[in-house]
Amino acid sequence: MDGPEVLNPKNWPTPKGYANGMLAEGRLLVTGGIIGWDETENLAEDFVSQGRQIFENIRAILAEGGAEPRHLVRLTWYVVDIEEYLANLRDLGRAYREVFGAHFPAMALVQVVRLVEKKARLEIEATAIVPTAKVQQVHT
């Protein structure tokens, strides 16, 4: 198995934009809470731009560990305003697909009072499973 398997119990509707569960073999790769700033710590201005930068940042971390977006098994989103998230869902989804493709791992979305960086509108933690063969290639 090179990538995770989507788990959806029989007779459940197929979720849109996320998976109910994922099954994978390999080495665990986790990120901290990633926000929408670039390598010089300049924070993107608006919600969707911050989201796109977060996706790019996660993709860069995955690459460091020999993984790709298709190896993601979970994303936990923290937003300061769920209404802002819902209002930007279409554009955010487009940015997600442009960076990660059509791979939708298990996801959770949580509204929080604020994030450490006051101007950050969202933060995402990512979990990926790197296939063992990929890990060996990166470290040899």
Side-chain angles (χ1 to χ4, degrees), residues 1 16 19 28 30 33-34 40-41 43 57 72 80 93 100 114 125 127 138:
M1 174 186 325
K16 293 181 176 123
L28 182 66
V30 297
I34 306 301
T40 62
E41 296 186 348
L43 193 62
N57 293 346
L72 288 167
V80 294
F100 288 157
R114 70 161 274 205
E125 294 176 326
T127 304
V138 169

Side-chain angles (χ1 to χ4, degrees), residues 4 9 21 33 58-59 72 96 136:
I58 290 171
R59 187 170 66 182
L72 288 167
Y96 177 99
Q136 290 172 349

Side-chain angles (χ1 to χ4, degrees), residues 30-37 54 57-58 61 76-78 115-117 120 122-127:
V30 297
T31 71
I34 306 301
I35 63 170
W37 59 17
I54 291 169
N57 293 346
I58 290 171
I61 294 167
T76 303
W77 300 53
Y78 303 94
L115 299 166
V116 172
E117 293 296 325
L122 69 158
E123 183 172 315
I124 301 175
E125 294 176 326
T127 304

Side-chain angles (χ1 to χ4, degrees), residues 19-109:
N20 285 310
M22 303 292 286
L23 178 66
E25 294 179 24
R27 299 211 32 207
L28 182 66
L29 184 158
V30 297
T31 71
I34 306 301
I35 63 170
W37 59 17
D38 63 19
E39 62 277 352
T40 62
E41 296 186 348
N42 287 318
L43 193 62
E45 289 297 317
D46 62 71
F47 191 86
V48 174
S49 297
Q50 286 188 22
R52 176 183 291 281
Q53 186 64 54
I54 291 169
F55 306 146
E56 295 284 353
N57 293 346
I58 290 171
R59 187 170 66 182
I61 294 167
L62 293 173
E64 282 293 310
E68 300 170 17
R70 65 192 172 104
H71 299 121
L72 288 167
V73 295
R74 182 170 185 79
L75 295 173
T76 303
W77 300 53
Y78 303 94
V79 299
V80 294
D81 183 350
I82 200 158
E83 295 304 326
E84 183 177 33
Y85 168 82
L86 293 171
N88 288 285
L89 201 50
R90 182 174 300 236
D91 291 336
L92 191 62
R94 184 178 304 115
Y96 177 99
R97 289 185 303 278
E98 287 172 1
V99 177
F100 288 157
H103 174 70
F104 305 105
M107 293 190 209
L109 176 71

